[in-house]
Amino acid sequence: MAVIANDIILTVSRRYKKISLWVICAISLILLFAMNLMQNVSGLNALLVSAVYSLVLSFGYGEAWYRAAKSSPTALTRFYLVAMVIRLLLGAVVVLVNCLLMKDNRDAIIRFVIIFSIFYAATIMLDAIYFARVEKKNIINKKK
């Protein structure tokens, strides 16, 4: 019975990683297309940093969720709260470091914050929707 629960947890984690990869790629392609239409690629660095940040955090979140669900599925609500706080703090640090590095170029800072916010909002919405559905279906606790 425990093997079945572990398989389900692994499947949920892998599916989350796959969906987050697709969402991040789709946002990147849409923003690249918009930059191409405007014939202005000055936001390319912001796009690259935001995409890499989102990928690293999404895959890290998926792996951390897998470990948390495997070890203690009843404490997942605490995990969601802590993970969102960590993501918020890391996002603030990334924006702050970028602002400090580009302190002379106001337009680049604004462009970075807008692009970063798009990625951040999309990944937060993905997390909320995906894991709300997982919790609503009660997949993990039902099989244990």
Side-chain angles (χ1 to χ4, degrees), residues 11-27 54-55 58-59 62 122-123 125-131 133-134 137:
T11 302
V12 169
S13 175
R14 285 183 179 167
R15 188 177 302 140
Y16 168 76
K17 290 176 186 177
K18 183 173 76 172
I19 292 171
S20 65
L21 175 65
W22 280 105
V23 167
I24 292 167
C25 287
I27 293 170
S54 297
L55 281 172
S58 291
F59 278 79
T123 55
M125 286 189 297
L126 171 67
D127 293 349
I129 292 169
Y130 184 80
F131 288 109
R133 287 185 178 176
V134 168
K137 291 179 183 176

Side-chain angles (χ1 to χ4, degrees), residues 52-70:
V52 168
Y53 168 84
S54 297
L55 281 172
V56 169
L57 249 56
S58 291
F59 278 79
Y61 186 84
E63 190 61 32
W65 182 88
Y66 170 73
R67 294 182 191 279
K70 200 166 106 174

Side-chain angles (χ1 to χ4, degrees), residues 46-94:
L47 178 67
L48 180 64
V49 170
S50 300
V52 168
Y53 168 84
S54 297
L55 281 172
V56 169
L57 249 56
S58 291
F59 278 79
Y61 186 84
E63 190 61 32
W65 182 88
Y66 170 73
R67 294 182 191 279
K70 200 166 106 174
S71 66
S72 179
T74 57
L76 280 176
T77 54
R78 229 175 303 139
F79 168 78
Y80 296 133
L81 179 63
V82 170
M84 288 301 153
V85 169
I86 290 172
R87 180 174 274 181
L88 176 68
L89 292 175
L90 285 175
V93 167
V94 169

